[in-house]
Amino acid sequence: MRNLVVVLGDQLSLSSVAFEGFDAAQDRVWMAEVREESEHVPSARMRTALFLSAMRHFAEALTARGLPLDYLKLGTHGFGSIGDALTGTLSRHRPQAVVMAEAGEWRLEQAIAGVCQAAGVRLVVRDDLHFLASRAEFADHAQGKSRLVMEAFYRHMRLKHQVLLDDLGRPEGGQWNFDHDNRGAFGREGPGMLPPPPSFAPDAITREVLADVETHFGDHYGSAARFDWPVTREQALVALKDFIAFRLQDFGRFQDAMWTDEPFLYHGLLSSSLNLKLLDPREVIDAAVAHWRAGAVPLESVEGFVRQILGWREFMRGVYWWRMPRLADANALKHHHDLPDWYWTGNVGMNCMKQAIGQTLRTGYAHHIQRLMVTGNFALTFGVAPAQVHAWYLSVYVDAVEWVELPNTVGMSLFADGARFVTKPYAAGGAYIRRMSNYCDGCRYQPGTRSGEGACPMTVMYWDFVARHERMLENNPRTVMMARNLRRFSAEERAAIQGSADAMRERPDLL
């Protein structure tokens, strides 16, 4: 054998750089399902089901194209990890080289490199051309900088790829960023009738996967009973077309809004397909921009969407490889509290947390504000150890691959890497939740109450966070008002806030 082409579970593209120069007479594709990928963090059943179903459908597509394939299916072999499985394959086939696209996790790339070195097999790792900025390009961008700003990188990417620019090379609409126009809430009337996302009923392959998940991981969190995610490129294209036609129109304006029992609203639900490589970011961006140029959607919606794909997604991937492996251990605020158990069950009295966690365990999904300003915000202000929060996010979301999840969680939500690539900690009290949702309606807690009976844990923890990190906040122009507002409180009120916060940390099960 000449090349053994390794395809990982988040590399499911027939146009992957790993297949360049593939010769069916000399080369072979290798894929493996192993327990470790669902157990190094306790992957929720919905997440495991999506990865395994998408992998098996991709294997079917490879076979249909006549590519020789070794596919190790869960339960048919005794290998516990990718490293063990690959070691066994190398000893059997003895290829001249192992070829792969860059992995999405530092851990996996290191493991595969170690196996190849031990076996004396050359490893060829090719730049993953799925992304619009290479690791080397981002490293050049970061060279000599102690702190990175996403907006500067985003503008660089817009110029490089000629996205949303006029004939003179200026940003369409005269400005780079329409974030100010994309913070709308629904108001008391709510979102009204929402366009439902497309449905993807499980086929025979997915049904087999669901049974395997129950057999092997039935004790894991969440449920896959309502499995409805795209698992093939064809389905992912349907999801993209549906979003562009029916939800992009209002995505920008309401992308930060939340509403009780409405998990999807106007969001694209494309991140899992993008992160599995069923969709290419170029085609996603082009589809959105073309719809705007046809006059079908407002510029602010398209710009907000493009910023998430071309800006934030690429920026997070660059930051991940720029900061690894140090990023995984970052804890700039020195937070060490345990993650409350109800993050894994949703059994909590705070309605905002019950909504965000409940839908996560049912569907494997929550949109970016639910992650950043509800579950992440509380973990930040409560003072949870970043590694525990990272493990939770990586476990429960169907779109969670470490290159995107870790910097978003540890860096952005928890400010655990300091100000290296975010400008402030994203901390807020119950007033923000009340402004952006109806979650506070009927909740047993009062968002405006800072201590004592009925005090909102979001609000209590916010002010306790400000007090504990007052000096840091007052030295940051973007957070100085948080510290100044705290100074309006009397010593007695500050003590009452601290007392309430201490009691909540002592018995988080009572929240």
Side-chain angles (χ1 to χ4, degrees):
M1 183 187 297
R2 184 182 65 165
N3 294 329
L4 184 71
V5 177
V6 169
V7 174
L8 299 175
D10 63 335
Q11 299 178 335
L12 309 181
S13 169
L14 291 169
S15 60
S16 169
V17 68
F19 297 122
E20 287 186 4
F22 189 91
D23 182 350
Q26 304 181 77
D27 305 329
R28 195 166 189 87
V29 183
W30 182 85
M31 300 176 68
E33 302 173 3
V34 295
R35 293 191 64 93
E36 184 181 56
E37 295 311 297
S38 287
E39 292 180 336
H40 77 282
V41 295
S43 182
R45 283 176 278 180
M46 187 72 81
R47 178 176 182 263
T48 293
L50 175 59
F51 273 80
L52 295 184
S53 180
M55 288 172 67
R56 293 184 191 181
H57 281 90
F58 187 68
E60 185 179 67
L62 291 174
T63 301
R65 290 187 171 228
L67 276 66
L69 171 67
D70 275 11
Y71 191 95
L72 305 184
K73 186 181 288 188
L74 196 69
T76 64
H77 62 83
F79 301 116
S81 69
I82 288 287
D84 291 342
L86 184 57
T87 297
T89 299
L90 293 183
S91 65
R92 184 170 69 255
H93 286 310
R94 300 189 179 277
Q96 297 174 26
V98 168
V99 175
M100 63 180 290
E102 294 167 317
E105 292 197 8
W106 187 87
R107 170 186 62 89
L108 280 176
E109 199 161 283
Q110 293 294 306
I112 292 171
V115 166
C116 290
Q117 183 178 24
V121 176
R122 184 167 60 97
L123 174 62
V124 179
V125 180
R126 296 173 177 171
D127 287 358
D128 190 346
L129 301 183
H130 167 88
F131 295 97
L132 290 98
S134 69
R135 293 187 195 175
E137 178 184 355
F138 192 88
D140 287 343
H141 173 78
Q143 183 68 35
K145 298 183 176 73
S146 59
R147 177 169 161 267
L148 301 180
V149 178
M150 194 281 286
E151 183 67 22
F153 177 76
Y154 171 53
R155 294 184 186 187
H156 160 75
M157 294 294 283
R158 287 267 297 272
L159 289 167
K160 174 188 172 184
H161 294 282
Q162 295 292 291
V163 175
L164 288 178
L165 301 179
D166 64 19
D167 293 339
L168 298 177
R170 301 170 301 195
E172 295 284 5
Q175 60 192 72
W176 292 100
N177 188 314
F178 287 85
D179 188 50
H180 181 75
D181 300 306
N182 290 341
R183 300 174 184 171
F186 293 120
R188 301 306 304 174
E189 68 278 7
M193 292 295 292
L194 292 164
S199 181
F200 303 101
D203 62 5
I205 292 176
T206 301
R207 290 194 297 272
E208 179 189 53
V209 165
L210 294 175
D212 286 348
V213 169
E214 289 304 310
T215 296
H216 297 285
F217 307 110
D219 59 342
H220 282 212
Y221 296 98
S223 169
R226 302 183 186 183
F227 190 90
D228 198 23
W229 291 101
V231 293
T232 66
R233 172 158 172 78
E234 292 74 21
Q235 290 180 342
L237 288 170
V238 169
L240 172 60
K241 183 177 180 180
D242 182 89
F243 168 64
I244 297 296
F246 299 113
R247 299 193 300 286
L248 179 59
Q249 166 76 29
D250 291 303
F251 165 79
R253 183 166 45 138
F254 296 123
Q255 65 178 297
D256 288 0
M258 300 171 283
W259 201 258
T260 297
D261 297 331
E262 293 291 353
F264 306 132
L265 299 171
Y266 294 102
H267 290 269
L269 310 181
L270 302 175
S271 54
S272 64
S273 295
L274 278 163
N275 293 351
L276 291 171
K277 315 290 172 57
L278 301 177
L279 291 175
D280 187 283
R282 297 160 187 81
E283 68 186 338
V284 173
I285 292 167
D286 289 348
V289 172
H291 208 49
W292 168 71
R293 293 200 183 280
V297 292
L299 177 58
E300 55 268 27
S301 277
V302 172
E303 188 280 319
F305 180 69
V306 166
R307 186 166 6 106
Q308 288 195 6
I309 307 297
L310 184 61
W312 198 249
R313 184 174 188 265
E314 296 285 333
F315 185 70
M316 287 291 104
R317 195 244 182 178
V319 163
Y320 176 80
W321 291 106
W322 175 58
R323 292 288 296 146
M324 283 299 284
R326 293 168 294 174
L327 183 61
D329 299 320
N331 192 357
L333 299 181
K334 302 189 185 314
H335 286 172
H336 299 288
H337 290 284
D338 288 332
L339 188 75
D341 289 344
W342 41 257
Y343 267 80
W344 299 102
T345 65
N347 297 325
V348 60
M350 287 181 282
N351 192 45
C352 57
M353 297 294 283
K354 183 188 294 290
Q355 286 286 319
I357 294 172
Q359 74 172 58
T360 293
L361 297 177
R362 289 191 307 273
T363 69
Y365 172 82
H367 70 68
H368 65 281
I369 291 299
Q370 292 173 309
R371 300 189 202 194
L372 176 65
M373 300 307 298
V374 181
T375 55
N377 176 29
F378 187 82
L380 166 67
T381 58
F382 192 86
V384 179
Q388 293 189 29
V389 189
H390 157 55
W392 185 77
Y393 276 90
L394 189 59
S395 298
V396 298
Y397 290 115
V398 295
D399 57 8
V401 182
E402 194 175 80
W403 66 263
V404 67
E405 177 277 323
L406 180 61
N408 267 300
T409 301
V410 171
M412 189 177 187
S413 288
L414 303 179
F415 204 65
D417 207 32
R420 284 188 172 88
F421 59 94
V422 292
T423 57
K424 67 172 184 176
Y426 284 84
Y432 176 87
I433 307 297
R434 179 171 55 186
R435 184 167 69 252
M436 299 306 300
S437 75
N438 70 334
Y439 289 164
C440 298
D441 295 352
C443 183
R444 74 190 196 196
Y445 298 110
Q446 303 303 313
T449 304
R450 296 186 284 262
S451 63
E453 185 177 354
C456 172
M458 283 284 187
T459 303
V460 172
M461 290 301 167
Y462 168 73
W463 287 113
D464 180 70
F465 173 83
V466 175
R468 287 185 291 114
H469 299 291
E470 185 174 2
R471 180 165 296 181
M472 174 194 71
L473 298 172
E474 68 185 3
N475 289 323
N476 183 336
R478 295 202 65 194
T479 57
V480 64
M481 288 306 300
M482 296 162 67
R484 289 177 181 172
N485 287 335
L486 178 70
R487 293 183 196 134
R488 296 186 291 106
F489 299 167
S490 66
E492 292 76 14
E493 185 166 12
R494 290 181 65 149
I497 291 169
Q498 181 178 338
S500 292
D502 290 345
M504 290 176 180
R505 288 195 184 91
E506 182 70 23
R507 292 296 306 274
D509 57 304
L510 299 181
L511 295 180

